[in-house]
Amino acid sequence: MAGNITLTMIKPDAVKAGNIGNILQMINNAGFKIVAMKYTQLSEAKAGEFYEVHKERPFYGELVGFMSSGPIVAAVLQKDNAVEDFRKLIGATNPAEAAEGTIRKKYATSIGENAVHGSDSDENALIEANFHFAATEMHA
Ligand code: CMP
């Protein structure tokens, strides 16, 4: 699967706003295959582990608090060029800078509460997929 998967999370803001279905439809329409998916809630410890790379950033505490504040949808998506194509579909981290028609432009409210996560490299996509899913839960 390496090289053609990405990991997404529909974040607590988008779940609370009732946008799971809308976002999954955009993902489907863009040609991604869902190879794993779960509705779950991260503990603070697990959210801290997921975002450990940002540990020294000033927003780390806020990010961990927010990501563990409510349920999320985690999914592994498969497509040629998945990481780059998904980052195009979701738009810039800051929704104020996100292009028209992107998921964040439509559904995100701020840089912190930005509706969706997408992996930033093939290497991290694999690490993040394995963080959320056992091998038996991924169906390529
Ligand atoms: P995500 O793609 O999940 O990866 C890291 C997250 O950190 C990012 O989306 C944002 O939600 C969050 N983030 C990045 N910059 C800031 C910031 N300046 N303030 C708050 N949160 C941020």
Side-chain angles (χ1 to χ4, degrees):
M1 275 201 310
N4 63 355
I5 61 153
T6 191
L7 183 284
T8 189
M9 293 183 286
I10 301 177
K11 298 188 179 187
D13 58 323
V15 171
K16 276 195 196 95
N19 287 323
I20 294 174
N22 293 332
I23 290 171
L24 289 178
Q25 184 153 36
M26 287 181 73
I27 290 170
N28 271 326
N29 290 347
F32 291 87
K33 179 184 171 192
I34 295 168
V35 300
M37 184 160 67
K38 70 172 73 165
Y39 188 47
T40 186
Q41 182 163 356
L42 295 171
S43 65
E44 269 195 48
K46 290 297 275 183
E49 198 186 316
F50 185 91
Y51 282 113
E52 192 140 28
V53 63
H54 296 302
K55 207 170 180 172
E56 304 307 325
R57 303 284 196 92
F59 57 82
Y60 179 70
E62 188 188 323
L63 175 61
V64 168
F66 168 62
M67 287 302 295
S68 57
S69 69
I72 62 162
V73 174
V76 179
L77 309 174
Q78 189 176 44
K79 182 184 186 295
D80 287 348
N81 207 30
V83 166
E84 199 184 327
D85 285 2
F86 192 67
R87 289 177 74 81
K88 276 188 199 140
L89 177 66
I90 65 180
T93 305
N94 185 349
E97 292 161 12
E100 281 304 326
T102 60
I103 292 175
R104 284 173 172 157
K105 181 72 178 182
K106 285 187 167 185
Y107 300 118
T109 51
S110 68
I111 193 168
E113 304 203 357
N114 63 356
V116 280
H117 168 80
S119 306
D120 65 4
S121 66
D122 289 341
E123 188 191 359
N124 284 336
L126 269 181
I127 292 169
E128 292 174 2
N130 288 321
F131 176 93
H132 280 287
F133 298 97
T136 51
E137 296 175 310
M138 294 187 259
H139 311 282

